[in-house]
Amino acid sequence: MIGVQSGATSMDPHFHALAPNAAVRDHLFDRLVHQDEKQRLVPGLATAWRSIDDLPWEFTLRKGVKCHDGSEVGPEDVIASGKRGPGVPNSPSSYAAFVRPVVDISVVDGNVLRMRTSAPAPLLPTMLSAVAIVSRTAVEAPTAGFHSGKAAMGTGPFRFAEFVPNARVVLARTDAYWGATPAWQKVPL
């Protein structure tokens, strides 16, 4: 068991920008850009990113990454996640602040996305390191079940197994994870 000071309030990675939720989110879902232990930006689902001019940014997606539902991650998943994040109903702390500068996302080619911002946004990669990328299939489902974890279709090193609000979260290792394989088969938090 891994101890955490307080329990997660939801398995929805876009519901509440709260530290316990983010701690769980980071095991279930990847972001375009990750931060290492010193908060330096490192590749996540994007292997590279660059500012083109003052407003557009390009992100090159990692190829061959699978969501926990077996679908391959593509630009559509990033677009669906970017649209969903700021609009989750009843969110006590929206993710809108992390994606607010982005006014348009388009596909340049199969694995390159272009994000246009409303004003220069030099911290955009840092901001996006907080936004989980979820399967667009889960986003589009009529009864998504994000709070309960049923729709926790991410790409992280662990997949959802069980959630009892404010009591326990159980995660199971994803053997097909694109990064380093976690040492533990199952992790209760």
Side-chain angles (χ1 to χ4, degrees):
M1 176 183 271
I2 295 175
V4 292
Q5 189 168 3
S6 60
T9 61
S10 175
M11 291 295 97
D12 186 333
H14 301 137
F15 177 68
H16 192 183
L18 184 71
N21 292 8
V24 173
R25 174 203 69 203
D26 291 353
H27 295 295
L28 295 172
F29 301 92
D30 283 304
R31 282 90 44 229
L32 286 176
V33 180
H34 289 185
Q35 291 187 23
D36 69 10
E37 65 281 351
K38 293 184 178 181
Q39 293 188 308
R40 292 176 295 206
L41 299 179
V42 295
L45 290 179
T47 57
W49 53 91
R50 67 186 180 108
S51 175
I52 297 172
D53 280 319
D54 286 345
L55 303 181
W57 281 82
E58 279 189 359
F59 293 83
T60 303
L61 297 180
R62 188 178 298 279
K63 293 180 182 179
V65 175
K66 303 264 184 189
C67 286
H68 300 150
D69 64 3
S71 63
E72 189 164 328
V73 175
E76 300 82 17
D77 302 294
V78 176
I79 293 168
S81 299
K83 288 180 180 176
R84 181 180 189 277
V88 175
N90 304 315
S91 171
S93 178
S94 169
Y95 276 77
F98 300 107
V99 295
R100 184 170 288 127
V102 178
V103 294
D104 184 56
I105 305 174
S106 59
V107 181
V108 176
D109 69 29
N111 71 326
V112 177
L113 285 169
R114 183 168 291 151
M115 295 186 188
R116 190 171 53 83
T117 58
S118 57
L123 296 178
L124 185 64
T126 302
M127 296 164 79
L128 294 177
S129 71
V131 181
I133 304 302
V134 299
S135 166
R136 82 168 182 275
T137 307
V139 171
E140 295 168 353
T143 54
F146 275 98
H147 284 296
S148 68
K150 291 178 184 173
M153 297 301 163
T155 58
F158 289 92
R159 67 185 184 286
F160 172 79
E162 180 185 10
F163 173 54
V164 177
N166 295 309
R168 111 179 134 261
V169 176
V170 179
L171 308 177
R173 181 170 70 198
T174 305
D175 290 324
Y177 182 58
W178 60 267
T181 303
W184 301 286
Q185 266 308 59
K186 196 173 255 190
V187 177
L189 303 174

